């Protein structure tokens, strides 16, 4: 374990931003957070908590409370880890930025969740192009207390290790699943659609847009459909997929994906905004404001 923490961000070059990967696991340098850092946490925490009442799945706020997360101060991973140790057995590890894919999968497969230790600057409150402490802690960590979701995350990690050994295309299919569930998923509840994706709950604009805007599609989750669908990394999503329960997610992803990867290798992908005849449609988006290219 390294003792000196670095803040590793994408580096601007003539070709745009280039991701910098680092594999180091460090000790959360909690004493180095400045008053401004704690203020940034407080501002974001209060703002999102207010927005998420009635928008995020109930266990979000409930689990943040079980963790003792509050606006007052940036949480200490060691405190959160005590709660995790008594419940689902996950462990948070501090990292400096994005990890190489295989390293990330291996951590998940061993119930270790990498959390970026640094928090965004005050001028990045609304948007930054990579995960920071707020996204990871506020967005991802609460659901690690949900036993079913916690198992799904571990299974995903193991699935990633396996897909990486099969083919780059298999990995691309699997990444779409992560994107449309863990990052941008919606869940159908008796009270209506709710957010569970970390990419949404950590974003002010998308928390509203994903549920309330007329522009995007909202479509029932179907594993193969999701794994064939391209996505947006630079705008709000054109399509959100809706699960009925976390059990549905873990059941749908339990089978061996090897034959599925083989089938998908020969199948065309769907543009991010398409609606298919076979879809269960909650909302057919108007497409207003969509950019015509740039799906990845
Ligand atoms: N069942 C998948 C496989 O065999 C693994 C997996 C589980 C992938 C859960 C994603 C989520 O590859
Ligand atoms: Co994330």
């Amino acid at each position: 374990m390294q003792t000196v923490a670095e803040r590793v961000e994408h580096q601007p070059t003539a070709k745009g931003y280039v991701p910098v990967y680092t594999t180091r696991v460090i000790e959360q340098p909690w004493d180095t957070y400045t008053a401004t850092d704690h203020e940034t946490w407080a501002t974001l925490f209060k703002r999102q908590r207010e927005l998420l009442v009635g928008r995020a799945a109930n266990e979000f706020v409930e689990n943040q409370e079980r963790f003792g997360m509050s606006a007052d101060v940036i949480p200490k991973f060691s405190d959160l880890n005590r709660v995790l140790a008594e419940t689902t057995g996950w462990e948070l590890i501090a990292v400096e930025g994005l990890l190489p894919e295989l390293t990330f999968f291996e951590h998940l497969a061993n119930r270790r969740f990498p959390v970026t230790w640094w928090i965004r600057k005050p001028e990045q409150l609304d948007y930054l192009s990579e995960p920071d402490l707020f996204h990871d802690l506020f967005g991802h960590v609460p659901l690690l207390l949900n036993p079913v979701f916690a198992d799904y995350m571990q299974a995903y990690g193991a699935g990633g290790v396996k897909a990486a050994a099969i083919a780059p295309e298999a990995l691309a299919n699997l990444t779409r699943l992560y994107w449309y569930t863990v990052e941008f998923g919606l869940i159908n509840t008796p009270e209506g659609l709710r957010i569970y994706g970390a990419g949404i709950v950590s974003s002010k604009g998308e928390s509203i847009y994903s549920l309330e805007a007329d522009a995007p599609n909202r479509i029932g989750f179907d594993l193969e459909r999701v794994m064939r669908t391209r996505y947006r990394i630079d705008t709000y999503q054109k399509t959100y997929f809706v699960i009925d329960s976390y059990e549905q997610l873990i059941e749908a992803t339990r089978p061996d994906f090897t034959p599925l990867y083989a089938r998908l290798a020969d199948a065309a992908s769907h543009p991010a905004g398409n609606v298919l005849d076979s879809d269960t449609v909650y909302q057919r988006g108007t497409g207003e404001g969509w950019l015509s290219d740039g799906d990845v």
Side-chain angles (χ1 to χ4, degrees):
M1 185 161 317
Q2 199 82 18
T3 46
V4 182
E6 273 184 86
R7 173 177 171 153
V8 182
E9 289 177 89
H10 288 193
Q11 304 285 319
T13 71
K15 295 203 172 92
Y17 278 80
V18 173
V20 178
Y21 296 106
T22 165
T23 55
R24 279 190 292 180
V25 172
I26 57 164
E27 188 92 51
Q28 180 191 23
W30 195 87
D31 293 334
T32 70
Y33 294 130
T34 63
T36 305
D37 290 335
H38 289 292
E39 242 170 74
T40 300
W41 169 265
T43 304
L44 289 168
F45 190 93
K46 286 186 211 148
R47 186 170 95 173
Q48 287 311 101
R49 279 286 283 257
E50 218 164 280
L51 266 175
L52 290 175
V53 178
R55 288 197 177 91
N58 287 334
E59 63 262 28
F60 252 92
V61 171
E62 281 166 22
N63 289 351
Q64 286 170 354
E65 277 165 8
R66 276 173 77 191
F67 271 122
M69 287 186 191
S70 79
D72 300 345
V73 67
I74 293 175
K76 288 187 177 164
F77 298 178
S78 53
D79 289 338
L80 306 177
N81 275 336
R82 234 166 285 142
V83 180
L84 285 167
E86 289 163 6
T87 51
T88 56
W90 274 76
E91 180 196 357
L92 309 183
I93 53 170
V95 295
E96 316 195 80
L98 284 174
L99 297 175
E101 241 164 0
L102 190 58
T103 312
F104 178 66
F105 293 143
E106 281 167 347
H107 285 308
L108 295 186
N110 289 288
R111 285 174 109 82
R112 291 187 298 266
F113 192 79
V115 176
T116 310
W117 72 266
W118 53 265
I119 192 160
R120 67 194 72 185
K121 302 187 185 102
E123 61 271 24
Q124 298 171 309
L125 284 193
D126 292 325
Y127 183 77
L128 80 170
S129 64
E130 64 198 302
D132 75 332
L133 177 127
F134 183 74
H135 168 80
D136 286 337
L137 273 196
F138 188 96
H140 285 289
V141 172
L143 282 186
L144 295 178
L145 282 186
N146 177 295
V148 178
F149 196 84
D151 287 350
Y152 172 68
M153 291 295 283
Q154 177 181 13
Y156 179 85
V161 173
K162 183 169 133 186
I166 296 177
E169 294 74 25
L171 213 47
N173 292 142
L174 193 67
T175 301
R176 291 180 184 144
L177 173 66
Y178 191 87
W179 191 264
Y180 280 120
T181 60
V182 178
E183 294 292 354
F184 292 97
L186 300 180
I187 185 166
N188 194 13
T189 78
E191 295 84 42
L193 297 188
R194 292 288 186 272
I195 305 161
Y196 74 93
I200 309 179
V201 299
S202 59
S203 157
K204 177 185 171 195
E206 202 153 4
S207 294
I208 300 170
Y209 180 91
S210 63
L211 289 179
E212 284 148 58
D214 293 333
N217 303 313
R218 298 182 189 91
I219 291 172
F221 175 86
D222 176 87
L223 179 69
E224 191 161 338
R225 161 68 156 111
V226 168
M227 288 173 78
R228 284 181 66 173
T229 308
R230 302 203 294 274
Y231 56 87
R232 307 292 308 186
I233 55 168
D234 55 345
T235 64
Y236 297 155
Q237 299 308 304
K238 293 179 176 179
T239 299
Y240 298 93
F241 289 97
V242 182
I243 59 170
D244 292 317
S245 64
Y246 304 119
E247 284 79 10
Q248 178 194 13
L249 212 47
I250 207 160
E251 285 312 318
T253 54
R254 202 183 295 285
D256 180 4
F257 283 6
T258 311
L260 178 56
Y261 291 137
R263 198 157 66 239
L264 292 179
D266 300 319
S269 61
H270 301 301
N274 277 21
V275 176
L276 312 179
D277 289 343
S278 49
D279 286 338
T280 303
V281 180
Y282 288 83
Q283 148 87 17
R284 184 179 290 265
T286 61
E288 197 192 330
W290 285 0
L291 300 178
S292 56
D293 56 5
D295 297 357
V296 297

